Amino acid sequence: YMELEQERGITITSAATTCFWAGSEKQYPNHRINIIDTPGHVDFTIEVERSLRVLDGGVVLFDGVSGVEPQSETVWRQATKFKVPRICFVNKMDRAGANFEYCVQCIKERLHAKPVPIQIPIGKESTFKGIIDLVTMKATFYLEDSLGAKYEYRDIPEELLDQATKAREYMIESIAEAACNEDLMEKYLAGTELTLEEVKLGIRKMCLAMEGFPILCGASFKNKGVQPLLDAVIEYLPSPLDVPSIQGLDIKDETKVIIREPNDDSPFSAIAFKIITDPYVGVLTFVRVYSGKLETGMNILNSTRGRNERVGRLVKMHADKREDIKEIRAGDIGAIVSMKETITGDTLCDPDHPLLLESIYAPAPVISVAIEPKTKADEQKMGLSLSKLSKEDPSLRLAVDHESGQTIISGMGELHLDIVQQRLFREFGVATNVGKPQVAYRETIKGSVEYEYKHAKQTGGRGQFGHVLLRIEPLEAGKGFEFVDEVKGGVIPREYIPAVEDGVTEALQGGILAGYPVIDIRVALTYGSYHDVDSSEMAFKIAGSMCVKEACRKAGMSLLEPIMALEVVTPDDFVSNVVGDINRRRGQILGMEPRAGAQAIKTQVPLAEMFGYATDLRSMSQGRASFTMEYHHYSSVPGNIQESLVSK
């Protein structure tokens, strides 16, 4: 619904809507489906992450020509992390180069999942006419130019009967093999024909247990295959009653687990999964209710922040349109208007029955730019607008560089930050300039070392005394920072140890080598001493800070840079140009595979070398190559580049 999305033809922000579906043959009572449409582009991965956190099931769309794309792999991993059952829809079956079998094979090989087709297409590309349902063994033919609205059931065409029979045999075998379907396995092995109900129940159980993923197909632009997909959502994906009851922690004793049943009579619990600023009603907080009921006028507790909030107005969202409602029940999604304290990932609950649900974590940004308003008058307005956008989007980070006085915004990629700049202008009327993107480098240590530091200052009055001995050691990549208290015998009083940790944390955050945060390090406080009169929290904070800086220098430091997983799909004619260019960018070629008349080149390349790549790739391939890129890991910077970065 955003102007920017319509212009670019991509989803930027996840949008929620609700629909009711009685079935393509009106075979169900009215079912309500809450749908969240998420972006496909990896720069907006937080939108997928927080949506999957609150959804019960997912429909994963694959392009009938491209099959599994790199971003599909990212989203698939996220869905697996949140244990979200999925059905797959192979779309665009009417496009040139569409190949259903290739897509199914792709899902198997690249996602390491078990695809179970429950439909096969009739024809492909321009001859795509309909689908064969392997559950009922009926063929649906779409009538010409009716945009899928007119279709008729017929017998399976003679030439496809053998293929359909084999595909159904594979489907039945896959259902019976699933560990959750032991009873069906016995019938299958005994050679007994499974009934229609048993087949459907078997697919549902397999889908919920994520032991196999039903595959459907169609051409959604022409509205072909969409109705059977909605039927499959109801028949095979979980309702809120099928997913395990939500578990939370007791806010007084975080070792104690509290379980909330997904019904209207349980105490209220919900998670705020998205914040948007609406120009007409102010801040909208999207919530997923797990138990109980949320009603207008209720007082609720934000247990993450320990603040009480009052629910003034509730709305059901249809993209950017709002419909006032009186309540949101267990299993439903809605939005609360004008909440003051709540942000993404906060738990909302009944004040008399508090609990804490697992939060939503934003990925670390990989790219930063300096941003400034074009006019001095817009300076304050830009700050307020950016803080509103960062509240909406947890993957957007704001910081002020105190040395240069610049405002730095960090995000998930060039497109992400470009969209932020455009939204500032369109939604808040703030025109801005951005500086050259800065890479989010990190620092780490090369070895282990122990270092002792005594901070002792004697002035006229009370002095300062703090004495610490720290041991630092590298952690494996991706582990971040650990602080360990190994002080024995009370040589440093308990109340000063958090001050040492604060000093260490601040020093590491500010960087030792070139001003970038230090990561993958464990700091152990092993020994020290104090003075009855002169010791203070500030003295120990300074001692911790100075000690860890000197220890890091002694251990030896190296710079780390973000390495991106890059996949370039290019016609054969331009492969050598693309590979040569990747090598010039310090890239490492991991492999190539043929894909629908082109080559998919898989590589890993430092982010620092990738600015402006979209333009360069277009010019070297006559605009025919495309690429996708996502953060993969941090790796050491070569010596000559490290020297120039440190000297800067």
Side-chain angles (χ1 to χ4, degrees):
Y1 61 86
M2 282 168 64
E3 265 182 34
L4 270 171
E5 294 177 312
Q6 289 163 4
E7 280 173 23
R8 289 172 177 251
I10 58 169
T11 310
I12 291 168
T13 177
S14 55
T17 190
T18 296
C19 73
F20 292 89
W21 183 245
S24 53
E25 299 295 309
K26 305 287 181 281
Q27 69 268 46
Y28 315 117
N30 231 0
H31 281 66
R32 175 174 177 169
I33 308 177
N34 290 307
I35 302 171
I36 298 184
D37 169 42
T38 60
H41 199 286
V42 74
D43 280 19
F44 310 111
T45 189
I46 181 65
E47 296 289 340
V48 182
E49 183 92 4
R50 59 183 172 188
S51 300
L52 283 169
R53 170 70 178 77
V54 300
L55 292 174
D56 298 326
V59 178
V60 189
L61 272 93
F62 295 98
D63 184 306
V65 181
S66 309
V68 177
E69 293 167 273
Q71 283 145 11
S72 315
E73 294 181 49
T74 307
V75 174
W76 193 269
R77 281 197 301 273
Q78 287 170 307
T80 302
K81 179 173 86 175
F82 290 117
K83 300 185 174 65
V84 176
R86 280 143 275 170
I87 55 182
C88 305
F89 187 76
V90 178
N91 196 18
K92 305 182 185 177
M93 284 307 302
D94 54 351
R95 260 188 66 194
N99 187 328
F100 182 72
E101 288 75 21
Y102 165 74
C103 288
V104 172
Q105 194 59 28
C106 232
I107 291 167
K108 190 175 182 176
E109 288 172 3
R110 297 183 63 177
L111 302 179
H112 307 293
K114 180 166 187 176
V116 182
I118 60 172
Q119 292 178 349
I120 57 171
I122 301 170
K124 61 181 178 182
E125 303 180 356
S126 58
T127 63
F128 175 67
K129 295 190 188 78
I131 48 182
I132 294 171
D133 184 335
L134 301 175
V135 178
T136 59
M137 286 302 268
K138 274 185 187 172
T140 305
F141 279 85
Y142 292 97
L143 306 181
E144 288 301 314
D145 303 322
S146 63
L147 273 183
K150 291 181 184 164
Y151 53 87
E152 57 187 37
Y153 298 122
R154 300 182 200 159
D155 291 336
I156 297 171
E158 196 65 41
E159 67 275 14
L160 291 174
L161 195 55
D162 190 39
Q163 186 191 342
T165 308
K166 281 181 184 161
R168 179 179 163 84
E169 184 60 31
Y170 173 75
M171 176 187 79
I172 299 288
E173 191 181 305
S174 303
I175 297 166
E177 276 177 358
C180 54
N181 284 329
E182 273 181 29
D183 48 338
L184 295 183
M185 185 56 150
E186 288 173 20
K187 283 188 82 171
Y188 174 72
L189 290 175
T192 313
E193 187 71 27
L194 302 184
T195 66
L196 182 63
E197 281 65 36
E198 284 173 332
V199 172
K200 285 187 174 181
L201 184 63
I203 296 173
R204 182 180 181 82
K205 281 173 144 182
M206 175 188 73
C207 186
L208 296 189
M210 294 191 293
E211 291 185 42
F213 299 92
I215 314 281
L216 298 92
C217 61
S220 62
F221 182 61
K222 300 276 175 66
N223 196 16
K224 294 176 179 177
V226 178
Q227 295 81 1
L229 174 67
L230 282 169
D231 289 347
V233 167
I234 287 172
E235 286 181 333
Y236 308 130
L237 285 181
S239 84
L241 299 172
D242 293 314
V243 291
S245 300
I246 192 77
Q247 293 189 354
L249 300 175
D250 189 321
I251 60 173
K252 294 194 178 83
D253 174 9
E254 292 200 0
T255 58
K256 190 175 164 191
V257 174
I258 298 172
I259 293 173
R260 287 272 192 273
E261 299 296 329
N263 59 52
D264 298 346
D265 303 324
S266 300
F268 166 69
S269 68
I271 195 158
F273 68 93
K274 183 175 164 74
I275 310 284
I276 62 170
T277 307
D278 187 293
Y280 301 106
V281 297
V283 176
L284 281 172
T285 306
F286 283 74
V287 293
R288 155 73 199 254
V289 177
Y290 284 102
S291 63
K293 277 191 293 199
L294 178 62
E295 297 172 321
T296 51
M298 262 173 77
N299 285 316
I300 56 175
L301 170 69
N302 178 333
S303 55
T304 310
R305 316 216 161 269
R307 303 284 175 87
N308 284 307
E309 297 255 25
R310 189 169 185 282
V311 180
R313 188 177 158 203
L314 294 174
V315 290
K316 189 162 73 178
M317 297 300 294
H318 297 282
D320 58 343
K321 296 181 175 56
R322 301 166 304 280
E323 178 190 325
D324 279 285
I325 50 174
K326 289 279 179 269
E327 62 179 18
I328 308 171
R329 291 169 172 256
D332 250 338
I333 282 171
I336 308 171
V337 178
S338 301
M339 290 187 89
K340 302 277 190 298
E341 308 280 349
T342 303
I343 63 167
T344 298
D346 286 0
T347 300
L348 303 171
C349 58
D350 181 338
D352 300 328
H353 301 87
L355 86 165
L356 202 55
L357 302 176
E358 187 187 345
S359 190
I360 296 168
Y361 299 100
V366 296
I367 180 173
S368 304
V369 296
I371 189 167
E372 59 184 34
K374 283 188 177 171
T375 63
K376 199 79 181 146
D378 276 343
E379 203 156 309
Q380 193 179 357
K381 201 174 169 189
M382 184 187 83
L384 288 169
S385 307
L386 277 173
S387 66
K388 280 183 183 174
L389 287 177
S390 68
K391 196 175 177 187
E392 282 185 26
D393 178 0
S395 64
L396 174 68
R397 309 278 170 91
L398 306 182
V400 174
D401 184 332
H402 294 292
E403 285 179 29
S404 64
Q406 287 180 310
T407 300
I408 308 292
I409 58 171
S410 307
M412 302 306 296
E414 283 183 277
L415 177 64
H416 185 200
L417 298 184
D418 181 31
I419 294 290
V420 167
Q421 190 188 6
Q422 291 196 36
R423 285 187 68 187
L424 280 173
F425 181 64
R426 291 179 186 222
E427 294 173 31
F428 302 99
V430 180
T432 54
N433 293 319
V434 295
K436 187 177 182 295
Q438 299 295 309
V439 179
Y441 289 101
R442 295 286 182 266
E443 300 177 11
T444 194
I445 53 170
K446 290 179 181 172
S448 303
V449 79
E450 279 199 330
Y451 197 82
E452 187 173 12
Y453 188 87
K454 198 175 278 185
H455 176 67
K457 273 199 173 170
Q458 208 56 49
T459 51
R462 183 179 167 180
Q464 287 186 11
F465 183 88
H467 169 216
V468 295
L469 177 68
L470 297 179
R471 184 182 74 250
I472 64 168
E473 52 203 24
L475 289 173
E476 63 182 88
K479 288 290 182 191
F481 163 66
E482 269 180 35
F483 180 83
V484 187
D485 170 14
E486 292 180 3
V487 172
K488 292 188 175 71
V491 290
I492 299 175
R494 287 273 136 238
E495 65 266 25
Y496 295 144
I497 288 170
V500 177
E501 185 176 355
D502 286 349
V504 167
T505 308
E506 253 175 55
L508 295 180
Q509 206 53 41
I512 315 291
L513 189 63
Y516 299 107
V518 181
I519 60 168
D520 302 334
I521 179 174
R522 177 187 284 121
V523 179
L525 173 60
T526 58
Y527 187 71
S529 64
Y530 72 104
H531 187 281
D532 286 338
V533 177
D534 292 348
S535 283
S536 65
E537 286 188 5
M538 181 50 73
F540 273 98
K541 185 174 177 180
I542 293 167
S545 174
M546 299 305 289
C547 186
V548 80
K549 283 180 180 177
E550 294 303 325
C552 285
R553 290 189 185 106
K554 194 176 168 191
M557 304 285 299
S558 68
L559 268 189
L560 303 173
E561 62 182 344
I563 303 293
M564 310 302 281
L566 171 74
E567 182 173 287
V568 184
V569 179
T570 173
D572 294 335
D573 308 355
F574 309 110
V575 169
S576 58
N577 293 2
V578 171
V579 169
D581 182 66
I582 288 166
N583 289 331
R584 277 194 296 281
R585 294 173 190 269
R586 299 194 281 125
Q588 183 185 0
I589 308 286
L590 302 178
M592 285 190 221
E593 61 177 52
R595 188 176 301 170
Q599 292 289 334
I601 306 168
K602 291 188 173 192
T603 74
Q604 287 180 357
V605 191
L607 176 65
E609 306 290 342
M610 291 304 291
F611 297 127
Y613 185 63
T615 313
D616 294 348
L617 182 65
R618 275 192 210 111
S619 62
M620 76 177 91
S621 67
Q622 298 170 8
R624 290 169 60 198
S626 62
F627 77 98
T628 49
M629 183 170 76
E630 62 173 328
Y631 164 74
H632 194 268
H633 68 283
Y634 270 94
S635 177
S636 295
V637 174
N640 57 333
I641 296 172
Q642 177 167 317
E643 279 171 32
S644 71
L645 285 167
V646 172
S647 64
K648 273 182 195 170

